Amino acid sequence: MTSLIFAATCDIAGKVRGKAFPSDQLEKRLTRGVGWTPTNVQITCFDIIAESPFGAFGDLLLIPDKDAGVTATFGENTQRFMLGDIVTLEGAPWSHCTRSVLKSALERLRRVGGVDLLAAFEHEFQLKGENSFAGEAYGRAGFEAQRRLCETLMTQIAGAGLSPDSIMKEYGPNQYEVVIGPEKGVRAADAAVIVRELTRATAEHVGQQATYTPILDPATVGNGVHIHMSFLNLDGTPATHDANGVCGMSALTGSFASGVLKYLDGILAFTAPSVVSYLRLTPHRWSAAFNNLGFRDREASLRVCPVTARDPDSIARQFNIEYRAADAAACPHLALAAIVHAGCQGIEEGLAAPEPTEEDLSLLSMDELADRGFVRLPESLEAALEKMVTNDIVTGWFPVDFTAVYAAHKAAEIGHVADMDATDLCAAYAETY
Ligand code: GLU
Ligand code: MG
């Protein structure tokens, strides 16, 4: 039997697509890759092709990265895939390669902040089928019912070279949460893709179906992706914390956080990129509805996370901020790139650290919100896209035409579900994610 390696990209739709080649060709493929087509970037999560500036023309290469490979064995079945970059035939990064877009955001962070990024994606997902565990929020019985799935998944995550942190029965019906340790730079986004792929494969292996849809049922909570971020100086020392800073943030972290909040409405279409994402981003779901910083507040878009140890070095290393307005319809590379660019913009503009909120912002009037510099985040994907494409600063962070192509992609996705009622809409997204 010929063993195959799947060379993959996580694209604008947040889907993992690619082509497989015989594993004995790996050496050659690490430089020559597999052939790729520009218009593939316009394949939406529903597999319809959005308006494409590339048409039927052009050729690209998808080059697998030897440091982003996974071999996962489930009984008789071995799955092997490698994430990679899309390049032109001349070898330059392709303008619509999500991994390359993230790399350039991380280069900007080095340039303007003198730091590297560590990030950890915390994921919630649900198992499809009857909810046999009403009342099992955080429960042991709910966990034990899926112990095999949880143990298999954590084993696979470790096998992929990542660090399993914790796993639990989350609040929602059949909802679980899986957390991994931080990874540096692009590897953090690769890790998020790997966790999602391994979750689906593990669920299938134990006879279940997992979905990472942003929300399965509007009557309950959504499936969030919370992105924890901290910074390292180039000598590897931690740069996120300052005991005397606002909420313990260093000046750099404070400016980064302010940039994220200032440009949040313009980047939301990247981090919450599906039509159903906006059913999740409503007040009182512990998701995110306003552009505020919370100090240990789980309704804020950005949250300063708790630290547990007393010695200063450990605190400085643990200290991190969490972006909560994301979900798994987003390509992790693109979501992280957008957040990093917004943060860099805050550093470049020399913004002061945001003051944390300690109240329920949904109780304030629009005028009161505006007086204090807060906005209600866009309440639909259309509104979020409008904020993105009309913000020249945001569009300027990306390669020429990137946001226009992205908006056309998302317009086709919106068009596809336009006539669906809420039940059909949630079912369609649960199917694709
Ligand atoms: N399920 C919530 C969300 O959609 C998050 C709950 C939590 O704080 O873990 O983001
Ligand atoms: Mg959670």
Side-chain angles (χ1 to χ4, degrees):
M1 184 96 81
T2 306
S3 97
L4 299 173
I5 300 175
F6 190 87
T9 178
C10 182
D11 62 11
I12 281 183
K15 302 286 272 189
V16 177
R17 301 187 215 260
K19 289 182 182 177
F21 58 84
S23 49
D24 60 8
Q25 295 176 4
L26 179 58
E27 203 59 34
K28 176 182 95 178
R29 301 289 183 174
L30 287 175
T31 48
R32 288 180 32 201
V34 294
W36 200 243
T37 309
T39 282
N40 286 0
V41 77
Q42 292 304 60
I43 305 176
T44 66
C45 63
F46 300 115
D47 274 359
I48 39 162
I49 303 180
E51 193 182 308
S52 165
F54 313 108
F57 300 100
D59 283 288
L60 298 162
L61 300 172
L62 169 53
I63 313 267
D65 180 341
K66 64 175 173 23
D67 296 324
V70 174
T71 302
T73 300
F74 299 94
E76 304 276 274
N77 166 16
T78 294
Q79 303 191 0
R80 228 178 144 188
F81 62 95
M82 292 173 90
L83 297 169
D85 292 341
I86 304 173
V87 299
T88 65
L89 297 182
E90 291 73 38
W94 184 49
S95 48
H96 293 75
C97 165
T98 57
R99 214 162 171 254
S100 306
V101 165
L102 174 57
K103 285 179 184 174
S104 79
L106 293 168
E107 279 158 22
R108 181 177 177 202
L109 181 62
R110 269 199 167 195
R111 215 165 47 241
V112 306
V115 290
D116 286 328
L117 179 78
L118 278 179
F121 284 65
E122 172 188 326
H123 279 99
E124 293 169 344
F125 65 92
Q126 276 167 295
L127 298 173
K128 292 188 193 170
E130 289 298 296
N131 170 29
S132 45
F133 287 104
E136 270 306 308
Y138 311 106
R140 197 179 79 83
F143 168 74
E144 292 297 351
Q146 299 301 338
R147 175 179 283 274
R148 180 156 169 249
L149 185 153
C150 293
E151 287 184 346
T152 309
L153 177 56
M154 293 302 243
T155 304
Q156 295 293 350
I157 286 171
L162 305 172
S163 323
D165 178 284
S166 52
I167 191 159
M168 65 162 182
K169 170 69 187 69
E170 246 289 2
Y171 177 76
N174 282 353
Q175 188 182 41
Y176 290 79
E177 175 180 298
V178 56
V179 185
I180 59 169
E183 298 287 338
K184 203 165 163 181
V186 176
R187 175 96 182 134
D190 290 349
V193 175
I194 292 167
V195 165
R196 295 175 195 176
E197 294 302 291
L198 291 177
T199 306
R200 295 190 186 95
T202 300
E204 199 170 304
H205 176 62
V206 300
Q208 310 248 15
Q209 272 187 302
T211 176
Y212 272 102
T213 185
I215 191 161
L216 194 51
D217 174 1
T220 67
V221 292
N223 293 308
V225 172
H226 302 158
I227 307 175
H228 295 259
M229 295 171 290
S230 58
F231 308 107
L232 291 177
N233 293 310
L234 302 187
D235 64 4
T237 53
T240 327
H241 177 67
D242 177 347
N244 300 315
V246 178
C247 298
M249 292 185 287
S250 65
L252 173 110
T253 308
S255 296
F256 186 97
S258 276
V260 172
L261 296 178
K262 179 172 174 184
Y263 293 98
L264 186 54
D265 58 2
I267 64 170
L268 198 64
F270 288 121
T271 65
S274 73
V275 174
V276 288
S277 297
Y278 295 82
L279 298 177
R280 171 179 165 256
L281 295 180
T282 52
H284 309 139
R285 281 178 195 276
W286 287 27
S287 61
F290 302 94
N291 62 336
N292 63 318
L293 174 81
F295 185 62
R296 299 177 191 169
D297 170 1
R298 289 183 175 77
E299 286 248 336
S301 292
L302 262 192
R303 183 173 84 108
V304 176
C305 292
V307 284
T308 54
R310 284 166 186 267
D311 70 288
D313 187 56
S314 169
I315 289 177
R317 286 198 180 274
Q318 287 179 52
F319 192 82
N320 68 87
I321 54 172
E322 176 195 43
Y323 179 95
R324 296 176 64 85
D327 61 55
C331 164
H333 301 81
L334 221 39
L336 201 54
I339 297 166
V340 167
H341 273 303
C344 287
Q345 192 71 31
I347 296 170
E348 278 185 338
E349 291 179 19
L351 300 182
E355 285 301 327
T357 51
E358 289 178 15
E359 78 233 80
D360 183 352
L361 294 187
S362 69
L363 301 177
L364 302 188
S365 69
M366 285 306 200
D367 286 346
E368 284 170 312
L369 284 172
D371 280 351
R372 294 178 48 190
F374 296 122
V375 294
R376 172 72 175 90
L377 297 181
E379 294 184 56
S380 68
L381 180 56
E382 287 100 318
L385 288 165
E386 183 66 17
K387 288 284 180 192
M388 179 190 80
V389 296
T390 55
N391 189 325
D392 293 342
I393 294 179
V394 172
T395 57
W397 299 334
F398 297 90
V400 179
D401 289 342
F402 186 87
T403 49
V405 167
Y406 186 86
H409 178 123
K410 289 291 158 184
E413 178 179 333
I414 293 167
H416 181 73
V417 300
D419 295 330
M420 293 186 189
D421 63 20
T423 309
D424 288 349
L425 184 66
C426 288
Y429 277 102
E431 195 60 34
T432 188
Y433 291 114

